[in-house]
Amino acid sequence: MMENPNPNPNPNQNQNQARRRLVCRSVVLVPCPFQGHVSPMLELGSVLHSKGFSITIAHCEEINPPNPSNHPDFAFLPFRLSGDDHQDIFSGGVEALFTSLNARSESPLKECLAHHLKMMPDQKEGRISCIVVYDALMYTGEAAATQLKLPSLILRTSDASALLAYGAMARLQAAGYSDNFPDSKLRDPVPQLHPLRFKDLPTSKHQTLESLVRMVSLVCIKRTSSAIIWNTLDWLEQPAMAKLQQQDQIPFFSVGPLFKLAVPRCPTNLMEEDAGCISWLDKQNPQSVLYISFGSLDFIDERELAEMATGLANSGQPFLWAIRPGSVLGSQWIEPLPPGFVEEIGERGRIVKWAPQREVLAHSAIGGFWSHCGWNSTLESISEGVPLMCSPRFGDQKVSARYISYVWKVGLELETEVMDRKEIERVIRRLMVDKEGKEIRERAAALKEKVELSIKAGGSSYNALNALTEFILSL
Ligand code: UDX
């Protein structure tokens, strides 16, 4: 357990804290079982554990279960989803996936939580034995907590600006917009949502606007939860935070980037990392390599793969490309790469199945990150001062890309709506070679410094974490 770096000099306050610590020092975390959600939840667990809380992870056994041996400090409460075949969860769209996941977790989660409570030592009438922190997408965590009379807190794993944009989708639907915003409107500003344009709205070609609005009504509300924990930084998203705070009227704790606060590093990767790429990076010049990854969920088609590969080859720039097996539609891995591509690239490029991304981004050879702008990737990149090349694919990624390129000015967006080799080559040169790229890199370095200050004693995320600790103890 980490020592308290800032011992309280006031003895009365110390006594009060000690009394309260007897009340509730146990936290049950309910992650949503996908990489971009599991990581921040496990990191939150690690951070709260360093503050003296006991941590239990309640998770479904069937989808991406965490590996307990990676987390000897945590207890695990696995539960089986109700129903027979869990694969049918994936057979519908996004909305069906999350409604089914929540519905099928509801009674098993409640049962295993009830059992957990019975097993807890020192049960006393009127005493809160534990609190539940659930991922906003696993809203059944709140239902289970309420039924067991436990307080609950929400962890929001994506950016506040995206949440605000999701919240506006019902208004746009009521104003008569349907699934596809007309091409002529795509670059127009969205009323009351500066700086977003219609093309930046968190829609997806895989989901109708109607279905998105229904989903928003399930995952963007606070229900009976006592507070919201954000994996972001207060000052980074101040305008969105202020608006959401007005709406929600419960305490907010912006404790991001959680991966930076979780020290020592918490192993959260669900896939095996190819560590060999680090020794390849060791041989490259400083800030010369472009790292490419589109996260843990996205798919590209063969045409997109070919355009990306050709753009990379023609740019002449060294690159490290993480391509998840199965992420090129219809292929096992990278079979559809253009003939001769691997030979032509030779030692100038390296392709891996899954990279140790945080280590990669912290490596001095990395000069840019071509990303889909998932919120974890965005936070990881800005925390390491790596400028971004943005290819958002769906949802919150489009909002993050707008903030990266237009508000924080630490990246460039590809201008074409479809992958195009010429545009790719042009943007790689702008970012990695041109004077414009140098200026973007300087701004990214300045942003990194601000993030570093925020997690040190007295910084915004450091203070928010202490406030969160006090808040939980006061429940
Ligand atoms: C999903 C959604 O797609 C995203 O829009 C949302 O913001 C979070 O949930 P994902 O697409 O996986 O996330 O992207 P991202 O949020 O960037 O998370 C990916 C994680 O996987 C990152 O923490 C990254 O470090 C890790 N990663 C990715 C690796 O460690 N190695 C890789 O090769 C690729």
Side-chain angles (χ1 to χ4, degrees), residues 369-383:
F369 180 11
W370 182 6
S371 171
H372 70 316
C373 307
W375 185 238
N376 294 286
S377 293
T378 302
L379 273 182
E380 289 160 18
S381 206
I382 62 178
S383 300

Side-chain angles (χ1 to χ4, degrees), residues 181-190 195-200 402 413-417:
F181 302 115
D183 277 356
S184 58
K185 260 202 147 316
L186 286 180
R187 284 171 192 276
D188 289 356
V190 184
L196 301 187
R197 303 157 297 176
F198 280 85
K199 80 191 279 279
D200 308 316
R402 179 64 169 163
E413 245 191 288
L414 288 159
E415 291 294 325
T416 47
E417 296 301 323

Side-chain angles (χ1 to χ4, degrees), residues 35-37 39 157-158 269 273 291 293-298 322 353-358 372-378 380 394 396-397:
Q35 181 72 69
H37 294 260
S39 296
T157 57
S158 47
N269 255 331
E273 297 172 347
Y291 168 62
S293 159
F294 283 3
S296 66
L297 292 179
D298 195 42
K353 292 180 173 163
W354 189 256
Q357 181 164 305
R358 287 149 180 200
H372 70 316
C373 307
W375 185 238
N376 294 286
S377 293
T378 302
E380 289 160 18
F394 59 83
D396 62 336
Q397 302 159 14

Side-chain angles (χ1 to χ4, degrees), residues 165-290:
Y166 277 120
M169 300 312 290
R171 171 166 58 80
L172 293 171
Q173 189 191 33
Y177 289 101
S178 60
D179 291 338
N180 295 314
F181 302 115
D183 277 356
S184 58
K185 260 202 147 316
L186 286 180
R187 284 171 192 276
D188 289 356
V190 184
Q192 300 164 48
L193 223 52
H194 177 78
L196 301 187
R197 303 157 297 176
F198 280 85
K199 80 191 279 279
D200 308 316
L201 287 170
T203 50
S204 161
K205 60 180 179 220
H206 305 297
Q207 192 174 24
T208 63
L209 185 59
E210 210 186 331
S211 155
L212 178 62
V213 167
R214 271 198 307 269
M215 229 185 113
V216 166
S217 72
L218 289 173
V219 300
C220 295
I221 50 169
K222 64 178 183 206
R223 296 188 167 77
T224 63
S225 298
S226 314
I228 304 178
I229 307 169
W230 296 86
N231 188 21
T232 188
L233 299 112
D234 259 348
W235 50 267
L236 189 67
E237 301 199 85
Q238 214 281 323
M241 274 296 182
K243 283 190 187 140
L244 291 166
Q245 180 73 83
Q246 247 178 5
Q247 272 173 34
D248 283 336
Q249 306 274 331
I250 53 174
F252 278 12
F253 300 99
S254 303
V255 294
L258 279 163
F259 87 100
K260 281 282 179 189
L261 283 171
V263 177
R265 190 189 153 197
C266 173
T268 59
N269 255 331
L270 299 168
M271 278 168 267
E272 197 184 330
E273 297 172 347
D274 182 340
C277 60
I278 299 294
S279 44
W280 178 83
L281 282 174
D282 290 341
K283 294 188 209 120
Q284 311 303 318
N285 290 329
Q287 299 183 340
S288 66
V289 177
L290 180 70

Side-chain angles (χ1 to χ4, degrees), residues 302-475:
E302 290 190 16
R303 194 201 68 80
E304 290 177 304
L305 182 79
E307 291 300 309
M308 290 174 78
T310 313
L312 282 167
N314 294 347
S315 76
Q317 209 59 38
F319 64 86
L320 170 63
W321 192 357
I323 308 181
R324 239 173 46 245
S327 65
V328 181
L329 291 168
S331 306
Q332 295 279 313
W333 190 35
I334 51 173
E335 304 78 19
L337 276 174
F341 174 78
V342 174
E343 295 74 19
E344 184 193 336
I345 293 306
E347 266 304 290
R348 178 159 72 77
R350 177 118 185 182
I351 300 179
V352 294
K353 292 180 173 163
W354 189 256
Q357 181 164 305
R358 287 149 180 200
E359 227 181 308
V360 165
L361 289 170
H363 198 286
S364 58
I366 295 294
F369 180 11
W370 182 6
S371 171
H372 70 316
C373 307
W375 185 238
N376 294 286
S377 293
T378 302
L379 273 182
E380 289 160 18
S381 206
I382 62 178
S383 300
E384 300 302 345
V386 176
L388 288 127
M389 181 167 146
C390 308
S391 284
R393 312 283 294 175
F394 59 83
D396 62 336
Q397 302 159 14
K398 300 201 275 174
V399 178
S400 305
R402 179 64 169 163
Y403 275 79
I404 289 166
S405 57
Y406 182 80
V407 180
W408 309 321
K409 297 187 179 356
V410 293
L412 294 171
E413 245 191 288
L414 288 159
E415 291 294 325
T416 47
E417 296 301 323
V418 291
M419 286 289 182
D420 173 78
R421 60 188 67 190
K422 286 218 162 60
E423 171 67 357
I424 292 167
E425 182 187 342
R426 190 178 74 88
V427 179
I428 294 178
R429 284 188 197 283
R430 280 173 66 198
L431 191 74
M432 303 293 287
V433 185
D434 294 353
K435 184 163 169 278
E436 184 186 9
K438 192 169 167 272
E439 288 163 8
I440 295 174
R441 187 156 296 110
E442 282 166 8
R443 280 195 293 275
L447 197 53
K448 173 188 174 173
E449 264 182 46
K450 276 187 85 175
V451 173
E452 275 171 359
L453 284 177
S454 305
I455 57 174
K456 286 197 180 133
S460 64
S461 296
Y462 178 97
N463 288 343
L465 179 60
N466 285 338
L468 171 64
T469 306
E470 283 301 306
F471 180 78
I472 296 176
L473 292 172
S474 75
L475 287 171

